[in-house]
Amino acid sequence: MRFKLFESFTSAVDVSDERYIHYQRKRLIPFTRTPFKSDPSRVSARSNEDYAPSVTSRPPSLHPGRQNTEDTISTTAWGPDQWDDEPVGERPPGWLELSGDLAWTATFSSLTSNTDITDGRSIISYGVFFGMMWQLWASQASYDIKFYMNDWWHRLFFILQLCIYGGLAAFTSDFDIFWAFDPDGEVFVGDANGLTAQAIAQNRYKKKQLSFMGISLVIAISRSFLLLQYLRVAYYRYRYRVSSWLHMLTPISIAISSTLFFACYGILKSVDQTSTIAIVQFLLWGSAMFIEIIGHAFTPDDSKEKLRGHGSITERLSTLTVIVMGEGLNGLSSTLRHSVNAPGFGTKTVVQIASVAIILYMFWLLYFEGFRKRLPPRKTKKEIWLLLHLPFHLFLILTLEGLKNSLLYNNLLISTSYCLKILIHQNSPTFAADMSKVLQKLDLSWEQQIVDSKNAYAVNAQAGVMQWSRWTLTVMYKMFQATDDNLDPKAQFWYDEYMKDDKYVQQDITSSEFYTTGYGAYWNQIVFEFEKPLFRGTLWVIPVAGVVLLSIGLLNYVQSRPRDRYAWGSFLTKVIAGVGMICLAAFSSSAEPAKSIPWFMPIIAILLAAVVFVDLILLHLLVRSARKQTGSLPPVVSPATWYGSEYHPVGTSDTAPLIREQAPMGRASSMDVSRAGISTYPPTTGHLYSSPTAYGAPQSFPTISSTISNPSQPPAYQMGHSSSAPGYYGPNSGAYDPWDAPR
């Protein structure tokens, strides 16, 4: 009996299996590959103008008295134009780019989880670190979409980039840019003596200094890695004669940026951290990032025709936006767990949760519904559009963190009011059952409290009152624990002191405040320390949500300037709503927190829903207005569906001007096609009309290429149609033309 399983151990390669051989050849990759096309005759180094896709003439205006702008130029009516941001050529697999984005997310997630975003100080510190991380991602993504090749060179740097993100994640826990200006302001040593307190302060100093040194060193190394990648590109530019001195601006700026970060690391390592050194450090950081951005902005782009492959920055940005929203949603998910298990869970909590869901969905709609895989036509607009994603992503995650804090604080208010409502009705026959039900969610027992209270009063009345004060504080402490997993260490320390030291309790129960409010000064201060981070973390949620809305409006404006009153209405709606939300924060901050904060999330949800609703109305009005002017609108199908596999949108010529409103082959637009000498009537066969001759239809439909006087210039549509082409609506096709359907 022969074992066929082991026959292949000594078998030769089966060259007849072409699919297998092709797959194995694709796996065998070189150490390095040029990102440029290998034929030097196809490239030019004369000027940056050679790098732009050729467009020999602009489309005729629909309105003779109005000039077209750069935002209205299009090489085809609905086909792809030169600013469409679609991936072309050789590209790395999608999972590779996604892996890089997820590696960046590790640093971003570590920063978010290790930073309590509650006040202005923490928001600014978070924004500085987030901005530097975002710039690292943007600079690497800008390189990858143009020059990344599937070779071992880039695979090596991909692994190094993962190490960079991991290194940055290690230094996120102690990042505070204001620490050097107030070194003792946030130090809490508890009951430690003088020497121990001094040791705690020194340890904190070393941790902060190590954090800044590590960040400077890791970013400097990351800039050096990116510089090496650009120097490799510069070598291939020289080899294939596709370079100009302007293309060296990006590597030069990265070299300067890396040098400044290394200098900052050297200064922090050799000199003690002071306020002056901190200012120098931030100036070096800011200068490095600014120089890098400016260098990239003034570097001319390489056209897609001269590169082996070109990725899509819009796809990378949309993926990053989903990742940012996912990280915020991850933080909200743990909060929802607390909400469901908190005492008093009911209609109010459901309203808050529903408001959060509406806010997330509205932001998703506003960004992705207005999102187009198209870049602005000018280099400066491209850079501005890219950089505008920084405040958008930053304030988006701040909004999600603010929503989380608001949900936590509302859970606390709902639970507290629910427990107080039960305590007020102590004479109710269901009081004991209600208290047992509430305390059970807090891992407490009402029956045990009755026993402890009787034992305390058996000693004396003062002991009974002290036991009651401690028990009520324990209930509040358990509520804070059920609301937030990360309690303030200072408040935790004073709670422990209150539980074990009788002097604080005695001062509380002997004060006049205790007999009027039911709690003393120490009791109230401890509760306030627990409540303060949650309370401060809710006050800024409305203005940052307004900034997100403004950012979305500006992104849409820069990507494509509004062309009509409806588009302007959509843009101005976002601007007015965003400014209104920012101004609303001034009034909400002066109101009573217990009454105003529960309305924060519903107000944001209502405003965002109103903006989306207005957007939909304006879109409906725009389409209806266009239908009235043209009589009808074409069906929403792709040009490939109309023209089949032989649809090739290219340039244009003077004899056959660019057709701006191109119809399917069965019926061309009468507005501009007549200038090319083409009949605007349907062909005589293959249509639903019983008497096509009534329309004066010709017996044949000429191609646009037949009207070109200069064959060396590419036509607007190179349509060599045949009856076998998919989507062909010409004579003898027998196909149904949607344009000729009865209206």
Side-chain angles (χ1 to χ4, degrees), residues 14 41 72 113 155 168 196 232 361 484 510 646 688 713:
D14 185 7
S41 63
T72 62
S113 60
R155 291 189 177 190
L168 283 176
T196 304
R232 167 188 163 276
Y361 184 61
D484 191 4
T510 56
E646 299 185 19
L688 299 178
Q713 294 294 332

Side-chain angles (χ1 to χ4, degrees), residues 672-731:
D672 296 312
V673 181
S674 59
R675 297 178 58 189
I678 303 175
S679 173
T680 61
Y681 298 105
T684 58
T685 59
H687 293 272
L688 299 178
Y689 297 107
S690 58
S691 179
T693 56
Y695 292 86
Q699 296 299 318
S700 62
F701 193 92
T703 60
I704 297 181
S705 58
S706 64
T707 64
I708 303 299
S709 59
N710 184 4
S712 63
Q713 294 294 332
Y717 282 89
Q718 192 73 22
M719 299 185 298
H721 293 283
S722 65
S723 59
S724 61
Y728 172 68
Y729 300 115

Side-chain angles (χ1 to χ4, degrees), residues 143 243 259 373 499 552 672 706:
Y143 172 87
S243 65
T259 303
K373 294 177 66 173
M499 290 293 109
I552 294 175
D672 296 312
S706 64

Side-chain angles (χ1 to χ4, degrees), residues 378-396:
R378 291 182 178 178
K379 173 70 173 179
T380 53
K381 284 190 175 183
K382 290 179 186 178
E383 298 301 322
I384 293 174
W385 182 77
L386 176 62
L387 291 176
L388 279 175
H389 278 81
L390 171 57
F392 168 67
H393 287 149
L394 173 60
F395 284 96
L396 178 60

Side-chain angles (χ1 to χ4, degrees), residues 304-447:
K304 297 180 181 180
E305 288 78 6
K306 294 175 175 61
L307 296 173
R308 287 182 178 269
H310 197 289
S312 172
I313 189 64
T314 56
E315 285 187 356
R316 297 292 299 272
L317 287 169
S318 61
T319 301
L320 188 65
T321 302
V322 172
I323 291 175
V324 170
M325 295 186 71
E327 177 62 26
L329 186 60
N330 184 41
L332 285 168
S333 299
S334 60
T335 305
L336 296 178
R337 172 175 56 87
H338 294 306
S339 301
V340 174
N341 298 323
F345 176 79
T347 305
K348 293 182 179 179
T349 307
V350 172
V351 170
Q352 300 294 327
I353 295 175
S355 299
V356 172
I358 292 173
I359 292 170
L360 288 174
Y361 184 61
M362 293 301 110
F363 275 141
W364 182 85
L365 277 180
L366 288 170
Y367 179 77
F368 286 102
E369 281 295 308
F371 185 85
R372 295 193 299 164
K373 294 177 66 173
R374 183 180 188 273
L375 292 173
R378 291 182 178 178
K379 173 70 173 179
T380 53
K381 284 190 175 183
K382 290 179 186 178
E383 298 301 322
I384 293 174
W385 182 77
L386 176 62
L387 291 176
L388 279 175
H389 278 81
L390 171 57
F392 168 67
H393 287 149
L394 173 60
F395 284 96
L396 178 60
I397 192 61
L398 289 178
T399 300
L400 297 178
E401 286 294 308
L403 293 177
K404 182 187 75 173
N405 294 334
S406 299
L407 198 57
L408 291 174
Y409 191 73
N410 280 296
N411 291 340
L412 179 64
L413 292 177
I414 292 172
S415 300
T416 304
S417 61
Y418 183 75
C419 292
L420 291 177
K421 183 178 179 180
I422 296 176
L423 287 172
I424 291 174
H425 299 86
Q426 296 187 17
N427 297 326
S428 172
T430 60
F431 171 74
D434 293 339
M435 283 301 298
S436 298
K437 184 178 179 180
V438 171
L439 295 179
Q440 188 177 12
K441 291 188 174 183
L442 301 175
D443 295 332
L444 296 174
S445 172
W446 174 246
E447 291 74 14

